[in-house]
Amino acid sequence: MSDVLTLERMRQDAADILHLDAAEIRDDDNLMDLGLDSLRAMSLAMNWRKAGAAIEFTDLIDDVTLGHWWQLVQAAGPR
């Protein structure tokens, strides 16, 4: 797994945890509707923090879309 966090890596990570193909997840899809739960969201946040993103689980639950999450990652910059 690459240590560079990109929108496409986030999409692939979400797809992996949801057992979906990454192409099935659009930026504006509500990931809860696709099967994401709080434990999986925490896991994603933890993995992305390890990759250098300044993101917390509480940031993710406000708007459960990849587009929003990517905006948060870009706005926060690297840790």
Side-chain angles (χ1 to χ4, degrees):
M1 179 183 301
S2 169
D3 286 332
V4 176
L5 189 60
T6 64
L7 175 58
E8 291 313 309
R9 175 177 167 190
M10 292 175 72
R11 184 181 323 280
Q12 187 61 58
D13 290 347
D16 289 346
I17 211 163
L18 294 171
H19 306 288
L20 297 172
D21 186 278
E24 295 179 69
I25 302 176
R26 296 184 316 255
D27 291 355
D28 61 347
D29 283 341
N30 182 317
L31 297 174
M32 294 289 200
D33 292 345
L34 297 178
L36 187 72
D37 57 34
S38 59
L39 291 176
R40 290 176 179 166
M42 282 189 267
S43 178
L44 289 171
M46 181 181 65
N47 289 337
W48 295 337
R49 277 194 311 274
K50 288 179 183 176
I55 194 166
E56 298 293 330
F57 167 72
T58 54
D59 299 327
L60 301 183
I61 59 172
D62 289 335
D63 182 344
V64 193
T65 64
L66 282 177
H68 176 74
W69 293 355
W70 180 240
Q71 288 175 355
L72 293 172
V73 168
Q74 289 183 311
R79 285 190 299 142

